[in-house]
Amino acid sequence: MRKQAYKSYRIKIFENLTLTILISLFVIGATAGKYSKEINEQKASDKNNNQVEFRIAKLNQVWEKAIRMQLAPVRLSELHSDLKIQEKDELQWKKIKAEGLDEDGEREAKLRRNFNIILAKYGMDGKKDTRALDSNRLKDHDVKDGDTFDDPRLDKLWNKAKTSGKFSDEELQTLQREFHHHKDKINEYNIVMDTVSRTEEIHKNVISPLEGDMKEHVLHQKHADLKQRMRGLNQGFERLRKITHEGYGADSEFKEPRVIELWEMAKRSNLTEVELDSLKEELRHFETKVEKHQHYQEQLELSHQKLKHVEALGDKEHTMRNKEKYNALAEKAREMGYKMKKHLQDLTNKISQNGLQHNEL
């Protein structure tokens, strides 16, 4: 009788213990889920629990340096969008690496290249930059005499376009944006060329054969990237030359340089007519997004000028109101800039991949 009671007692204890463990596991699981959701939704913070702009330390360092440099509002907004794209790509890469992919380091090398381009683009690569750091691309919309593009071929072509009489004022502004876009592409090419030169120099000093093979692969990828960029530059310059000689045709589909570049890329690929028509519609939506983003940038610049004016007058109440408006516009411009650049990235990948699939067939 005692043995049976003791046995029942042990079974009861075991059941209670099992129930307690199950409840604990459920609570931990629910808490973990809630914690993960909070981590995803909350703003990034550093080790001291202070809120920061980005979840990657080096990107925060770049952002903080840009603020200390007092970049112009529009350039600061552009930098923020570029850093958000870089953050997205790096976090995706970390996930891919954790899954055992990217063994050849191709994605990692591309991320480094893109980061170097960002640093050089905003004058934070430690080199002397002849470009005015506080220059605002919005000012380039006004056509002025003496505009130069730091490239003799572009300068010659631009001067010819201005004096040809083939363009209206609006068309000249559109063409000027195309020239500036091409100039930016040249700058990016020079940055990648510089990183290739440094990689080649490091490659000469490699001792380990295994390490040498890895660097050889990375070097090959960089040369492939350079080749692709040079092809794009040649095609872009040929387009500018053709427009300068012939003017804009009545069948010009788009006005924004980035959209025009995507459309030209799509036409060179082997996409079907149906696919091209579908893409054309998507590019029209994208161009609207680009124009809307530019509108917010213009409003941001005007708000910044007004804020500086009110601050100079010493009116604290007006200063506070204008600062709130400026901060709201800056936040909106950054948000729209990120969405626009993310859309640009997606469209570029879509056209490249579809074109490649058709070419392989």
Side-chain angles (χ1 to χ4, degrees):
M1 190 74 178
R2 285 184 178 179
K3 284 183 179 180
Q4 189 175 357
Y6 179 66
K7 187 177 179 181
S8 299
Y9 175 71
R10 288 183 63 187
I11 289 170
K12 192 173 182 180
I13 290 176
F14 178 75
E15 287 174 346
N16 289 338
L17 184 60
T18 303
L19 183 62
T20 302
I21 291 170
L22 287 171
I23 291 170
S24 298
L25 288 172
F26 176 78
V27 171
I28 291 169
T31 306
K34 183 172 179 281
Y35 176 74
S36 298
K37 187 179 179 183
E38 287 174 352
I39 287 294
N40 289 329
E41 291 178 353
Q42 71 183 6
K43 204 169 175 65
S45 58
D46 60 16
K47 292 178 181 178
N48 298 321
N49 215 26
N50 297 317
Q51 285 194 349
V52 289
E53 282 295 321
F54 304 96
R55 285 175 283 179
I56 298 174
K58 69 177 181 182
L59 302 185
N60 278 312
Q61 290 168 1
V62 171
W63 178 246
E64 288 163 6
K65 182 178 180 180
I67 292 171
R68 290 196 300 272
M69 288 168 63
Q70 296 183 334
L71 289 184
V74 172
R75 278 184 67 79
L76 196 63
S77 176
E78 286 288 303
L79 172 62
H80 192 277
S81 303
D82 285 340
L83 292 175
K84 287 297 287 184
I85 292 289
Q86 183 73 14
E87 178 184 53
K88 173 187 70 68
D89 291 343
E90 293 211 14
L91 291 174
Q92 283 179 350
W93 170 75
K94 285 180 179 179
K95 185 179 178 182
I96 288 168
K97 189 180 179 184
E99 292 170 354
L101 303 175
D102 195 33
E103 291 180 1
D104 56 6
E106 183 181 339
R107 284 175 177 265
E108 185 179 10
K110 187 176 180 181
L111 283 171
R112 278 201 301 269
R113 266 199 312 276
N114 291 343
F115 184 64
N116 287 333
I117 287 171
I118 290 172
L119 293 179
K121 181 179 176 182
Y122 297 95
M124 289 185 278
D125 56 351
K127 296 179 182 178
K128 188 176 180 181
D129 196 348
T130 55
R131 293 166 297 174
L133 292 176
D134 61 347
S135 67
N136 190 325
R137 182 53 47 83
L138 291 174
K139 296 173 186 175
D140 296 337
H141 288 186
D142 298 327
V143 181
K144 301 173 185 175
D145 292 331
D147 279 335
T148 57
F149 299 92
D150 301 326
D151 183 282
R153 292 198 308 167
L154 285 180
D155 289 336
K156 185 178 179 180
L157 211 56
W158 172 244
N159 288 326
K160 187 173 182 178
K162 284 196 298 183
T163 56
S164 67
K166 294 176 183 175
F167 303 95
S168 66
D169 289 344
E170 186 180 352
E171 286 175 335
L172 264 183
Q173 289 178 1
T174 299
L175 183 60
Q176 190 180 42
R177 287 199 296 270
E178 287 205 55
F179 270 77
H180 276 296
H181 181 67
H182 190 79
K183 176 186 171 183
D184 290 341
K185 291 288 182 183
I186 293 172
N187 289 338
E188 288 182 9
Y189 176 86
N190 290 333
I191 293 163
V192 176
M193 173 72 85
D194 186 51
T195 61
V196 168
S197 300
R198 287 202 303 268
T199 305
E200 285 177 335
E201 193 63 36
I202 294 167
H203 186 65
K204 292 175 185 176
N205 302 320
V206 169
I207 299 172
S208 165
L210 183 62
E211 189 181 353
D213 290 341
M214 288 295 290
K215 283 191 167 63
E216 186 72 45
H217 177 77
V218 171
L219 200 57
H220 174 75
Q221 292 296 331
K222 287 189 175 183
H223 277 294
D225 184 29
L226 269 178
K227 189 176 179 181
Q228 185 179 351
R229 286 175 186 271
M230 177 53 75
R231 190 184 302 116
L233 284 174
N234 290 335
Q235 290 165 344
F237 183 79
E238 181 57 28
R239 172 184 160 74
L240 290 176
R241 189 194 65 76
K242 185 178 178 182
I243 292 172
T244 301
H245 284 284
E246 301 176 7
Y248 282 109
D251 59 343
S252 297
E253 297 286 349
F254 305 103
K255 293 192 294 183
E256 287 302 323
R258 281 167 288 200
V259 185
I260 292 168
E261 185 179 28
L262 287 171
W263 180 236
E264 292 295 321
M265 191 196 314
K267 287 193 294 184
R268 288 193 299 269
S269 71
N270 292 327
L271 294 172
T272 65
E273 286 298 321
V274 174
E275 289 170 328
L276 279 174
D277 286 341
S278 175
L279 181 65
K280 187 188 292 185
E281 191 61 33
E282 189 174 355
L283 286 175
R284 286 197 182 105
H285 289 300
F286 175 63
E287 186 168 54
T288 301
K289 190 179 287 186
V290 173
E291 290 169 349
K292 193 174 180 182
H293 176 235
Q294 286 179 343
H295 170 73
Y296 271 95
Q297 285 185 319
E298 289 166 0
Q299 293 301 309
L300 178 64
E301 178 61 22
L302 289 172
S303 178
H304 181 254
Q305 291 173 4
K306 188 175 180 181
L307 176 61
K308 291 297 178 187
H309 176 70
V310 173
E311 283 178 339
L313 294 175
D315 188 329
K316 290 184 178 180
E317 186 179 341
H318 275 77
T319 297
M320 189 176 296
R321 280 205 301 268
N322 279 275
K323 198 164 189 177
E324 286 175 0
K325 185 179 178 182
Y326 169 75
N327 288 337
L329 279 168
E331 187 67 32
K332 187 66 177 177
R334 291 171 195 169
E335 179 189 336
M336 291 194 69
Y338 170 73
K339 288 179 179 178
M340 186 267 292
K341 289 183 180 183
K342 172 68 169 61
H343 197 174
L344 174 63
Q345 190 181 55
D346 292 342
L347 283 167
T348 304
N349 292 336
K350 180 180 179 180
I351 294 169
S352 300
Q353 289 166 8
N354 284 346
L356 179 62
Q357 288 165 3
H358 280 277
N359 288 332
E360 286 175 344
L361 292 172

